[in-house]
Amino acid sequence: MNRREFTKKTLGAVAGLTVLASVGKSKDLKSEKKKTMKIVLGADSFAYGLKKAVAEHLKKRNIEVIDADNYANTPYYDVAESAAKTVASGAADGAVLFCGTGAGMCIVANKVKGINAVAVESVFSAGKAKAINNANVITMGAMIVGDFMGCAMVDAWLDTKFAQGFEPLKDFLDGAYKSVSEIDACHRK
C-alpha cells in the first residue's frame, strides 16, 4: 500500500475512533501519582534562541529540562550524542535537539542504540513522529522553525501516544517498530 492509499484508508476510519476513545475516560487525579517528565534539550550555537524558547515553554508545562550543551558552543555531533545517550540510558523520557536544519542532530542521535530520532518541520510531522514512528527524540532547525512553531511542535510530540489516531493499524505499527529495531540491531554487530 502506498502512502497516499495508507492516508486515505486510515484518516476516515481513525477520526471517529479518536473521538470515541476519549469519551468516558476519567482519571482520579488524587490517586494517581505522576512522575515528572524529563526532556533533554540540546543545540549548537546556531539554534540557541529556539532552544531557549522551548526550554521556557517546557518549564511552564512543569517538565524538567536537562541541558545537554549548557550554551557552551559545543559542536552539534557532541550535543546529539550526549543527549541521545541520556535518553537511551533511561535518565530522560525524550529529547529535543536543535541545529540549522535538524538533519545533523537527527543523523547523530540515530547512531545511538535505542534512539528513534525524527527531524520534524511542522506540528503535523512532530505528532506523527510519535504516532507512527514512536520517536523518542525529535530534531528541528532554527533556519526553518520559529519559536512559536517550535513550541507547538514539541507539544504535538509530547501529547501524542504511539499509534494514536492509527488504532486500526496498531498491530502493523507495532510490527514495523519491531522490524526496524531488528534491522538496527543487525547492523550494530
Side-chain angles (χ1 to χ4, degrees):
M1 168 182 329
N2 69 34
R3 185 173 50 183
R4 187 177 306 261
E5 291 169 342
F6 173 83
T7 302
K8 280 183 181 179
K9 185 175 181 178
T10 58
L11 287 181
V14 172
L17 290 174
T18 303
V19 172
L20 289 174
S22 64
V23 173
K25 286 186 178 179
S26 63
K27 294 182 178 181
D28 182 4
L29 296 177
K30 292 177 186 175
S31 65
E32 257 187 44
K33 186 171 181 169
K34 283 186 116 177
K35 175 185 124 185
T36 301
M37 181 179 280
K38 296 178 183 178
I39 299 295
V40 180
L41 296 184
D44 63 14
S45 59
F46 193 81
Y48 285 159
L50 181 56
K51 176 189 159 191
K52 183 177 180 182
V54 170
E56 291 170 0
H57 178 72
L58 290 175
K59 288 174 184 172
K60 288 178 186 172
R61 286 189 57 166
N62 296 316
I63 294 172
E64 183 180 335
V65 172
I66 301 169
D67 194 330
D69 62 79
N70 295 313
Y71 299 93
N73 280 333
T74 308
Y76 77 92
Y77 43 86
D78 290 337
V79 174
E81 181 182 23
S82 172
K85 284 181 174 179
T86 301
V87 174
S89 75
D93 300 298
V96 183
L97 304 175
F98 312 90
C99 60
T101 64
M105 291 282 195
C106 187
I107 289 167
V108 175
N110 276 317
K111 302 291 184 197
V112 175
K113 185 177 181 182
I115 297 301
N116 297 310
V118 176
V120 297
E121 295 182 352
S122 67
V123 172
F124 180 83
S125 65
K128 296 307 176 246
K130 179 70 78 57
I132 296 171
N133 303 108
N134 203 19
N136 53 4
V137 175
I138 59 170
T139 67
M140 59 184 78
M143 294 168 144
I144 300 163
V145 175
D147 295 356
F148 178 81
M149 182 64 75
C151 293
M153 290 161 60
V154 169
D155 285 345
W157 173 65
L158 290 174
D159 296 340
T160 301
K161 305 289 182 226
F162 180 56
Q164 181 178 331
F166 295 94
E167 287 78 5
L169 298 169
K170 176 111 172 53
D171 290 341
F172 168 78
L173 293 172
D174 282 336
Y177 182 79
K178 181 181 177 190
S179 293
V180 170
S181 296
E182 289 169 357
I183 291 167
D184 183 52
C186 176
H187 290 282
R188 290 187 187 276
K189 292 180 181 178

